[in-house]
Amino acid sequence: YRCNDATLVFVHVHKGGGTTLVDMARGNRAGLARVNRNGDPELGGRRVPWWTMGASEQTRWFATLRQQDVRFVATEKGFPGSANLLAPYPNKLVYAIVVREPTRRFVSYYFWKWRRKDLYAVATKRIRGNSDVAEVSDDAPSFGRFVEREQPLDAYYVRRLLGMGERAVVVDETALAKAKDVLRRTFSVILLTERLGDFGPLVKRTLGWASSDFDAFRAKRNPAPNLKLLEAWRQDWNEEIARRMPLDR
């Protein structure tokens, strides 16, 4: 990849801090598609669902992109399954992912999905930036109701890594073992959201990006979760969510 003859495939975990890595890639001119949505190549206004392609079609697609100097491909919506997941070598692919502590990711997802979108809130954000504490829209469900709607909470990462979709059937320890194997055999770069600032030297050494200060590429300061809304569900909300995510943890 450092020799401009491989593609970095970035699995963008929603609400995991992946946008910072995409912005860093853009800042380092790492080869994003000319038309993209947060790093995902787009065609006709839609993300290219390359993870649904067969293995040989994927190989040709990535090779064509490299000929166009596209060497960074993010994927926020899907990932190949075992039948069509290309090995890094000899397919000239480098896989990367940023993972976040599961409970924090889920809570952040709630406040993002039900954030205020009214004109006043949008204008205030543009002028002053994010508020200190997250605000939700008037039609937002309670956090407790949101938890029940999103069941099952567990195995988000397992589903992503196995190409099962975010809301697939309940998975088990066998699927967890397979997901761990995918990480071990396929991924060269695994970063932790909570420690992104520590990984600058690793990114510089591994990917050859000269500008590797994550703090410099953070698009915004995210507001803190509104604890009152979480505690209205139950005082031990953190422990209860963790209890419902045994595989992800």
Side-chain angles (χ1 to χ4, degrees):
Y1 178 79
R2 293 191 299 270
C3 297
N4 298 329
D5 192 30
T7 305
L8 179 64
V9 179
F10 173 50
V11 178
H12 188 167
V13 172
H14 195 47
K15 303 313 297 175
T19 297
T20 301
L21 186 70
V22 174
D23 288 343
M24 181 181 285
R26 185 177 288 111
N28 281 276
R29 298 182 179 180
L32 280 71
R34 184 177 61 83
V35 181
N36 71 84
R37 186 184 308 181
N38 211 10
D40 292 52
E42 277 193 332
L43 184 63
R46 295 175 179 244
R47 289 181 171 92
V48 178
W50 60 268
W51 54 88
T52 65
M53 301 176 185
S56 59
E57 186 179 1
Q58 278 187 61
T59 300
R60 292 192 297 270
W61 185 70
F62 281 118
T64 299
L65 289 183
R66 283 192 294 273
Q67 291 174 356
Q68 300 169 359
D69 202 30
V70 176
R71 298 178 294 103
F72 181 96
V73 173
T75 170
E76 195 171 2
K77 295 298 183 181
F79 193 66
S82 59
N84 64 334
L85 176 60
L86 295 177
Y89 181 83
N91 295 295
K92 298 184 178 182
L93 300 176
V94 177
Y95 290 89
I97 187 171
V98 178
V99 295
R100 186 177 186 179
E101 192 280 323
T103 299
R104 294 179 181 177
R105 192 204 69 81
F106 181 75
V107 169
S108 179
Y109 175 54
Y110 168 73
F111 286 107
W112 173 83
K113 186 170 185 177
W114 293 101
R115 67 195 182 280
R116 285 182 57 186
K117 301 176 185 176
D118 56 275
L119 293 177
Y120 177 79
V122 172
T124 301
K125 180 178 178 180
R126 287 178 178 175
I127 296 172
R128 303 178 183 174
N130 282 327
S131 58
D132 293 332
V133 178
E135 298 177 299
V136 297
S137 61
D138 292 337
D139 61 341
S142 68
F143 184 69
R145 184 171 297 178
F146 179 74
V147 169
E148 299 308 321
R149 285 183 184 178
E150 293 292 315
Q151 294 288 352
L153 305 188
D154 198 18
Y156 171 84
Y157 290 110
V158 175
R159 293 187 180 96
R160 284 299 310 272
L161 291 169
L162 298 183
M164 299 172 66
E166 296 180 10
R167 302 295 294 276
V169 295
V170 177
V171 298
D172 55 16
E173 293 285 345
T174 300
L176 174 61
K178 291 180 180 178
K180 288 181 177 179
D181 191 57
V182 169
L183 275 178
R184 183 172 57 253
R185 292 174 176 271
T186 308
F187 283 76
S188 299
V189 181
I190 304 173
L191 308 178
L192 305 178
T193 303
E194 289 77 11
R195 295 186 57 190
L196 270 184
D198 298 336
F199 287 108
L202 173 67
V203 168
K204 186 174 184 177
R205 182 174 66 254
T206 305
L207 302 180
W209 293 355
S211 301
S212 57
D213 181 358
F214 278 94
D215 289 335
F217 288 97
R218 291 186 191 276
K220 56 187 178 299
R221 174 184 57 82
N222 290 320
N226 189 330
L227 296 180
K228 291 181 179 179
L229 298 182
L230 304 178
E231 292 170 353
W233 174 47
R234 49 190 301 163
Q235 290 293 312
D236 64 341
W237 58 269
N238 189 63
E239 292 77 8
E240 176 60 19
I241 295 174
R243 186 187 66 79
R244 300 188 187 205
M245 297 179 168
L247 295 180
D248 271 341
R249 297 184 66 81

